[in-house]
Amino acid sequence: MMLGKSVWTSMVFGLSLALSPLGALQTGDAAETLSVDWLEGRSVPLLLNRADKKQPLEKDLRVIVFFGTYTPLSQQMMPTLMEMQKRYRDQGLLIGAVSPEPAEKVEPFLKAFPNVNFSVGVDRDGEGTVKYLGPRPILPKVFIVDNCDEILWDGEVEELPDVLESIFDQTYSRDTQKKIAPLLLELDPALRTGRLGEIENLTDRILKEAPGNGQALRARLFSYESNGQVEAGWEFLTARRNEFPKERKLYFMQLDMALRYRQFSGDLVPVVRSFLLNFPDRSGEINSIAWTLLNGGDFNSDAISAARLCIEALKPLLDRSDIDALTATRILTSQALYQYRIGNVPLALELQKQAADRGVDTSEAEAVNRFAAFYQAIEDLRQ
């Protein structure tokens, strides 16, 4: 997750509706074989062929992501996949990204991600992509396969961080996902034809079983906005958030709407305040919210005020001895940007230098140094 590529971004922006066409595999189906030529990383065995398939465990999971180099979402997904591979590698997770395109298309794409830490390959004959996604694939699409060679979950990259977290903390419900999988398939034609009544019916049924299902929430909001019913979309999210205050996606979606529609900007502060109250330990997401507000708030006072709440909530973390360098770097960089936005360039420069001094050895180090150079240049001009 780069400084500007937040968890918020992956959950909200783009409103991708990559729902599977009929004929595709879904949760509960047996995984199929794939013939993959791996270009990056080691081979990811899709099928483990265990003799005893009665005891699925939350280990030896494989994430298979079908992607296309030509889609913006496939480009945006790379930091998320790297973050997930790093976080769960020691728990037996292997990620393999597979494209139906030829190697000469995928290899240039990979050059933009020199630090990729998961496997990337091409579908050798294209048949595997059709087996998984059907004859009209919409990319990217994710499948999680358990160690019993069954599809544990299928969905969008945006959902992957939350799904993996729920799997590894043992709150994921396979049965619930099996119930809603057919309904998610029905959403696709309803969305394509703009049948609002059917979309509302399907999303109501999905959200009754899974209140935080991101695909259903995004589909419902997309249908409201595409039909010019922005106020109805806002009211829908507000009602859901009041009923389910622990569903984080609802906060991100409302914050996104408040940044895109000026009539809701006055709600930025109360929505952020409520998020901080319900999720005080989600430091990474709090910092991502601050960063996005500071970059996407059109510099209006409501966005700055909401960002300040996040900045203040994160300050105590910097005094902790157990904070890792990367987390500290990200928090300091957001703090520096906040000071720059309110006109305190000297403090912005000081904070950004502190961030650079953390010495993170990642792709973010270059961006951190660029910010420091930028603030230095502004300060030099002021003097």
Side-chain angles (χ1 to χ4, degrees):
M1 181 179 62
M2 183 46 213
L3 299 168
K5 297 292 185 182
S6 64
V7 174
W8 182 358
T9 302
S10 66
M11 285 182 174
V12 177
F13 295 144
L15 290 175
S16 115
L17 301 172
L19 307 174
S20 302
L22 296 177
L25 295 181
Q26 57 185 282
T27 302
D29 290 339
E32 298 274 1
T33 57
L34 281 175
S35 298
V36 180
D37 292 325
W38 297 103
L39 307 176
E40 183 76 35
R42 61 173 167 148
S43 171
V44 177
L46 192 60
L47 303 183
L48 298 180
N49 296 314
R50 292 177 61 234
D52 176 14
K53 295 191 176 183
K54 297 180 180 179
Q55 297 295 328
L57 303 172
E58 283 72 38
K59 65 178 183 180
D60 297 327
L61 296 180
R62 284 132 298 145
V63 172
I64 301 299
V65 185
F66 292 91
F67 74 100
T69 62
Y70 52 88
T71 68
L73 283 175
S74 291
Q75 298 167 17
Q76 296 167 15
M77 77 179 186
M78 299 297 281
T80 298
L81 296 182
M82 286 189 273
E83 187 87 7
M84 293 302 98
Q85 184 63 90
K86 178 182 178 181
R87 183 179 302 176
Y88 297 111
R89 185 185 297 278
D90 292 343
Q91 293 172 263
L93 180 74
L94 287 178
I95 296 178
V98 178
S99 174
E101 301 168 281
E104 52 265 31
K105 289 281 189 181
V106 178
E107 288 170 343
F109 172 84
L110 284 175
K111 290 181 180 179
F113 306 98
N115 298 315
V116 65
N117 60 353
F118 55 89
S119 300
V120 182
V122 297
D123 185 357
R124 188 176 302 156
D125 52 20
E127 294 180 2
T129 303
V130 174
K131 283 192 292 188
Y132 274 82
L133 304 183
R136 294 187 300 119
I138 302 175
L139 304 173
K141 179 66 183 290
V142 184
F143 294 86
I144 301 178
V145 180
D146 69 16
N147 61 357
C148 290
D149 299 338
E150 181 179 298
I151 296 174
L152 179 62
W153 178 81
D154 67 288
E156 301 176 354
V157 177
E158 289 91 337
E159 302 296 304
L160 185 60
D162 276 357
V163 171
L164 287 175
E165 181 177 321
S166 67
I167 290 172
F168 285 109
D169 69 15
Q170 299 183 346
T171 59
Y172 175 74
S173 173
R174 187 191 304 244
D175 291 338
T176 296
Q177 188 66 24
K178 284 182 179 179
K179 288 180 182 178
I180 67 174
L183 299 175
L184 289 169
L185 287 179
E186 292 182 46
L187 257 182
D188 187 42
L191 284 164
R192 290 176 185 276
T193 54
R195 300 193 298 271
L196 184 59
E198 186 174 347
I199 292 169
E200 290 186 1
N201 176 266
L202 286 169
T203 53
D204 280 344
R205 292 166 64 189
I206 294 166
L207 294 172
K208 182 179 180 180
E209 298 290 340
N213 184 268
Q215 292 181 357
L217 290 170
R218 285 190 293 274
R220 184 66 163 266
L221 186 58
F222 178 82
S223 69
Y224 282 132
E225 292 195 58
S226 61
N227 283 277
Q229 300 177 352
V230 175
E231 296 287 345
W234 182 263
E235 292 171 3
F236 166 76
L237 292 176
T238 300
R240 297 292 301 180
R241 189 165 61 82
N242 290 336
E243 186 176 0
F244 302 101
K246 294 299 183 179
E247 292 296 341
R248 301 187 335 276
K249 294 184 186 69
L250 297 168
Y251 296 83
F252 300 131
M253 296 177 82
Q254 280 208 299
L255 290 169
D256 174 55
M257 281 195 75
L259 288 178
R260 291 187 293 113
Y261 297 101
R262 179 68 70 171
Q263 64 263 42
F264 306 128
S265 64
D267 290 285
L268 282 167
V269 168
V271 172
V272 167
R273 186 175 285 121
S274 182
F275 184 90
L276 294 173
L277 178 65
N278 284 284
F279 308 102
D281 297 326
R282 292 273 178 175
S283 58
E285 292 176 12
I286 294 170
N287 194 58
S288 294
I289 290 172
W291 181 263
T292 306
L293 288 167
L294 292 168
N295 280 284
D298 202 22
F299 310 140
N300 70 68
S301 59
D302 295 309
I304 297 297
S305 297
R308 178 170 53 81
L309 293 177
C310 298
I311 295 298
E312 293 297 326
L314 293 170
K315 276 184 178 179
L317 285 181
L318 295 172
D319 296 326
R320 290 175 48 172
S321 59
D322 60 343
I323 189 171
D324 64 273
L326 184 56
T327 299
T329 296
R330 289 172 172 171
I331 292 175
L332 285 165
T333 298
S334 293
Q335 288 190 343
L337 181 60
Y338 170 74
Q339 294 299 328
Y340 172 70
R341 292 286 187 246
I342 64 173
N344 194 340
V345 178
L347 184 52
L349 177 58
E350 178 184 337
L351 290 167
Q352 196 62 52
K353 285 182 176 179
Q354 291 179 29
D357 288 344
R358 296 282 175 163
V360 292
D361 185 21
T362 69
S363 58
E364 298 190 19
E366 183 180 350
V368 169
N369 291 325
R370 281 202 308 269
F371 279 115
F374 172 74
Y375 298 141
Q376 183 67 66
I378 297 297
E379 181 65 8
D380 291 343
L381 286 174
R382 289 178 68 252
Q383 297 179 357

